[in-house]
CSV table of all heavy atoms in Angstrom, one decimal:
chain,number,residue,atom,x,y,z
A,3,ASP,N,0.8,3.6,2.1
A,3,ASP,CA,1.3,3.9,3.5
A,3,ASP,C,2.6,3.1,3.9
A,3,ASP,O,3.4,3.6,4.6
A,3,ASP,CB,0.2,3.6,4.5
A,3,ASP,CG,-1.0,4.6,4.3
A,3,ASP,OD1,-0.7,5.7,3.7
A,3,ASP,OD2,-2.1,4.3,4.8
A,4,CYS,N,2.7,1.9,3.3
A,4,CYS,CA,3.8,1.1,3.7
A,4,CYS,C,5.1,1.4,2.9
A,4,CYS,O,6.2,1.0,3.3
A,4,CYS,CB,3.5,-0.4,3.6
A,4,CYS,SG,3.5,-1.0,1.9
A,21,MET,N,31.3,6.2,-3.8
A,21,MET,CA,32.2,5.9,-4.9
A,21,MET,C,33.6,5.7,-4.5
A,21,MET,O,34.2,6.5,-3.8
A,21,MET,CB,32.1,7.0,-6.0
A,21,MET,CG,30.8,7.1,-6.7
A,21,MET,SD,30.5,5.7,-7.8
A,21,MET,CE,31.7,6.0,-9.0
A,24,SER,N,39.3,6.8,-7.4
A,24,SER,CA,40.1,6.1,-8.5
A,24,SER,C,41.5,5.9,-8.0
A,24,SER,O,42.1,6.6,-7.2
A,24,SER,CB,40.0,7.0,-9.7
A,24,SER,OG,40.6,8.3,-9.4
A,33,LEU,N,63.4,14.1,-6.9
A,33,LEU,CA,62.9,15.3,-6.2
A,33,LEU,C,63.4,16.5,-7.0
A,33,LEU,O,64.5,16.7,-7.3
A,33,LEU,CB,63.5,15.3,-4.8
A,33,LEU,CG,62.9,16.4,-3.9
A,33,LEU,CD1,61.5,16.0,-3.5
A,33,LEU,CD2,63.8,16.6,-2.7
A,48,GLN,N,62.2,11.4,22.2
A,48,GLN,CA,62.9,10.1,22.1
A,48,GLN,C,63.2,9.7,20.7
A,48,GLN,O,64.0,8.8,20.5
A,48,GLN,CB,62.0,9.0,22.8
A,48,GLN,CG,61.8,9.2,24.3
A,48,GLN,CD,61.0,8.1,24.9
A,48,GLN,OE1,61.0,7.0,24.4
A,48,GLN,NE2,60.3,8.3,26.0
A,50,PRO,N,65.1,10.8,18.1
A,50,PRO,CA,66.5,10.7,17.7
A,50,PRO,C,67.2,9.6,18.4
A,50,PRO,O,68.1,8.9,17.9
A,50,PRO,CB,67.0,12.1,18.0
A,50,PRO,CG,65.9,13.0,18.1
A,50,PRO,CD,64.8,12.2,18.6
A,63,ASP,N,77.2,-4.8,14.9
A,63,ASP,CA,77.1,-6.2,14.5
A,63,ASP,C,77.6,-6.5,13.1
A,63,ASP,O,77.3,-7.6,12.5
A,63,ASP,CB,75.7,-6.8,14.7
A,63,ASP,CG,75.7,-8.3,15.0
A,63,ASP,OD1,76.5,-8.8,15.8
A,63,ASP,OD2,74.9,-9.0,14.3
A,72,ILE,N,70.2,3.6,5.3
A,72,ILE,CA,69.6,3.5,6.6
A,72,ILE,C,69.5,5.0,7.1
A,72,ILE,O,70.5,5.6,7.2
A,72,ILE,CB,70.3,2.6,7.6
A,72,ILE,CG1,70.3,1.2,7.1
A,72,ILE,CG2,69.7,2.7,9.0
A,72,ILE,CD1,71.1,0.2,8.0
A,74,SER,N,67.0,8.4,9.2
A,74,SER,CA,66.0,8.8,10.1
A,74,SER,C,65.5,10.2,9.7
A,74,SER,O,66.3,11.0,9.3
A,74,SER,CB,66.6,8.9,11.5
A,74,SER,OG,65.7,9.5,12.4
A,78,LEU,N,61.2,10.3,1.7
A,78,LEU,CA,60.9,9.3,0.6
A,78,LEU,C,60.0,9.9,-0.4
A,78,LEU,O,58.9,10.5,0.0
A,78,LEU,CB,60.3,8.0,1.2
A,78,LEU,CG,61.2,7.3,2.3
A,78,LEU,CD1,60.4,6.1,2.9
A,78,LEU,CD2,62.5,6.9,1.7
A,82,ILE,N,52.5,11.5,-7.2
A,82,ILE,CA,51.2,11.0,-7.3
A,82,ILE,C,50.3,12.0,-8.0
A,82,ILE,O,50.2,13.2,-7.7
A,82,ILE,CB,50.6,10.8,-5.9
A,82,ILE,CG1,51.6,9.9,-5.0
A,82,ILE,CG2,49.2,10.2,-5.9
A,82,ILE,CD1,51.2,9.8,-3.6
A,110,SER,N,67.2,13.1,-0.4
A,110,SER,CA,65.9,12.4,-0.5
A,110,SER,C,66.2,11.0,-1.2
A,110,SER,O,67.3,10.8,-1.7
A,110,SER,CB,64.8,13.2,-1.2
A,110,SER,OG,65.2,13.3,-2.5
A,129,ASP,N,52.7,12.2,21.0
A,129,ASP,CA,51.6,12.2,22.0
A,129,ASP,C,50.4,13.0,21.3
A,129,ASP,O,50.5,14.2,21.0
A,129,ASP,CB,52.0,12.9,23.3
A,129,ASP,CG,50.9,12.7,24.4
A,129,ASP,OD1,50.0,11.8,24.2
A,129,ASP,OD2,51.0,13.4,25.4
A,144,GLY,N,47.7,10.0,4.2
A,144,GLY,CA,48.2,9.4,5.5
A,144,GLY,C,49.4,8.6,5.3
A,144,GLY,O,49.6,8.0,4.3
A,149,TYR,N,52.7,4.3,2.8
A,149,TYR,CA,53.6,3.2,2.9
A,149,TYR,C,53.0,1.9,2.3
A,149,TYR,O,53.6,1.1,1.7
A,149,TYR,CB,54.0,2.9,4.3
A,149,TYR,CG,54.8,4.1,5.0
A,149,TYR,CD1,54.6,4.3,6.3
A,149,TYR,CD2,55.6,4.9,4.3
A,149,TYR,CE1,55.3,5.4,7.0
A,149,TYR,CE2,56.3,6.0,4.9
A,149,TYR,CZ,56.1,6.2,6.2
A,149,TYR,OH,56.8,7.3,6.8
A,157,THR,N,57.4,-4.0,5.3
A,157,THR,CA,57.3,-4.1,6.8
A,157,THR,C,57.2,-2.6,7.3
A,157,THR,O,58.0,-1.8,7.0
A,157,THR,CB,58.5,-4.8,7.4
A,157,THR,OG1,58.5,-6.2,7.1
A,157,THR,CG2,58.4,-4.7,8.9
A,170,VAL,N,53.7,-4.4,14.4
A,170,VAL,CA,54.4,-4.6,13.1
A,170,VAL,C,53.4,-5.1,12.1
A,170,VAL,O,52.6,-6.0,12.3
A,170,VAL,CB,55.5,-5.7,13.3
A,170,VAL,CG1,56.1,-6.0,11.9
A,170,VAL,CG2,56.6,-5.1,14.2
A,186,ASN,N,58.2,-13.8,23.5
A,186,ASN,CA,58.9,-12.8,24.2
A,186,ASN,C,58.5,-11.4,23.7
A,186,ASN,O,59.2,-10.4,24.1
A,186,ASN,CB,60.4,-13.0,23.8
A,186,ASN,CG,61.0,-14.2,24.4
A,186,ASN,OD1,60.8,-14.6,25.6
A,186,ASN,ND2,61.7,-15.0,23.6
A,198,LEU,N,62.6,-7.8,16.3
A,198,LEU,CA,62.4,-6.4,16.8
A,198,LEU,C,61.5,-6.5,18.0
A,198,LEU,O,60.4,-7.1,18.0
A,198,LEU,CB,61.8,-5.5,15.8
A,198,LEU,CG,61.6,-4.0,16.2
A,198,LEU,CD1,63.0,-3.3,16.4
A,198,LEU,CD2,60.8,-3.3,15.1
A,200,LEU,N,60.9,-4.7,22.4
A,200,LEU,CA,61.1,-3.6,23.4
A,200,LEU,C,62.1,-4.1,24.5
A,200,LEU,O,62.1,-5.3,24.9
A,200,LEU,CB,59.8,-3.2,24.1
A,200,LEU,CG,58.8,-2.5,23.1
A,200,LEU,CD1,57.6,-2.1,23.9
A,200,LEU,CD2,59.3,-1.4,22.3
A,212,TRP,N,63.4,1.0,24.9
A,212,TRP,CA,64.1,1.1,23.6
A,212,TRP,C,63.6,0.0,22.6
A,212,TRP,O,63.2,-1.1,23.0
A,212,TRP,CB,65.6,0.9,23.8
A,212,TRP,CG,66.3,1.9,24.7
A,212,TRP,CD1,66.4,1.8,26.0
A,212,TRP,CD2,66.8,3.1,24.3
A,212,TRP,NE1,67.1,2.9,26.5
A,212,TRP,CE2,67.3,3.8,25.5
A,212,TRP,CE3,67.0,3.8,23.1
A,212,TRP,CZ2,68.0,5.0,25.5
A,212,TRP,CZ3,67.6,5.1,23.1
A,212,TRP,CH2,68.1,5.6,24.3
A,223,LEU,N,71.5,-8.0,20.0
A,223,LEU,CA,72.5,-7.2,19.3
A,223,LEU,C,73.0,-6.1,20.2
A,223,LEU,O,72.1,-5.2,20.6
A,223,LEU,CB,72.0,-6.7,18.0
A,223,LEU,CG,72.3,-7.6,16.8
A,223,LEU,CD1,71.6,-9.0,16.9
A,223,LEU,CD2,71.9,-6.9,15.5
A,233,GLU,N,84.1,-5.2,26.4
A,233,GLU,CA,85.5,-5.3,26.2
A,233,GLU,C,86.3,-4.8,27.3
A,233,GLU,O,87.3,-5.4,27.7
A,233,GLU,CB,85.9,-4.6,24.9
A,233,GLU,CG,87.3,-4.6,24.5
A,233,GLU,CD,87.9,-6.0,24.3
A,233,GLU,OE1,87.1,-6.9,24.0
A,233,GLU,OE2,89.1,-6.2,24.5
Side-chain angles (χ1 to χ4, degrees):
D3 292 339
C4 74
M21 291 290 291
S24 58
L33 187 73
Q48 294 184 26
D63 204 50
I72 296 176
S74 173
L78 301 176
I82 307 175
S110 66
D129 191 15
Y149 299 147
T157 295
V170 172
N186 296 310
L198 179 69
L200 298 183
W212 301 89
L223 267 62
E233 178 59 26

